[in-house]
Amino acid sequence: MKREQNIVFQIIYWLQKSDHTKPLLGLPGIEPDVFKYHAWLMSDAGLIQLTDNEAFTPHILTWAGQQYAEDNFGAMRTAALEAENSLKVALSKTSATSGSNSELVES
């Protein structure tokens, strides 16, 4: 599997928006295995802390993760817009089919 920088940026974006009471369980439009792989890579690089090392659930950005976000602000902004759009599409599909969006981004 190949690292996709946009997924890294989206994970950072959602962790920055989080109130840190719940771990990030996944992202709309990203397969669970791909999400877990990127969470593992980010943890290995010291960018995030995981709440569960076996389930690879990101919980909070580290100091290095915050610095990485600041150093890559332009790319992060683009990824943030894509993440917001993906969530809007996923929410509209989910509410159209089941009326619930509880299994998407936990923030």
Side-chain angles (χ1 to χ4, degrees), residues 67-86:
Q67 188 63 49
Y68 185 81
E70 289 175 18
D71 293 346
N72 293 284
F73 178 76
M76 287 286 303
R77 194 169 135 225
T78 300
L81 292 173
E82 290 176 14
E84 289 285 351
N85 289 336
S86 293

Side-chain angles (χ1 to χ4, degrees), residues 48-91:
I48 63 173
Q49 289 181 353
L50 303 174
T51 56
D52 183 343
N53 288 332
E54 292 182 21
F56 303 112
T57 50
H59 184 65
I60 193 167
L61 287 174
T62 62
W63 182 276
Q66 293 285 349
Q67 188 63 49
Y68 185 81
E70 289 175 18
D71 293 346
N72 293 284
F73 178 76
M76 287 286 303
R77 194 169 135 225
T78 300
L81 292 173
E82 290 176 14
E84 289 285 351
N85 289 336
S86 293
L87 181 60
K88 288 176 186 172
V89 169
L91 289 175

Side-chain angles (χ1 to χ4, degrees), residues 11-18 20 61 65-66 69-70 76:
I11 291 172
I12 290 173
Y13 170 74
W14 287 111
L15 288 175
Q16 285 179 322
K17 287 187 69 155
S18 169
H20 309 296
L61 287 174
Q66 293 285 349
E70 289 175 18
M76 287 286 303

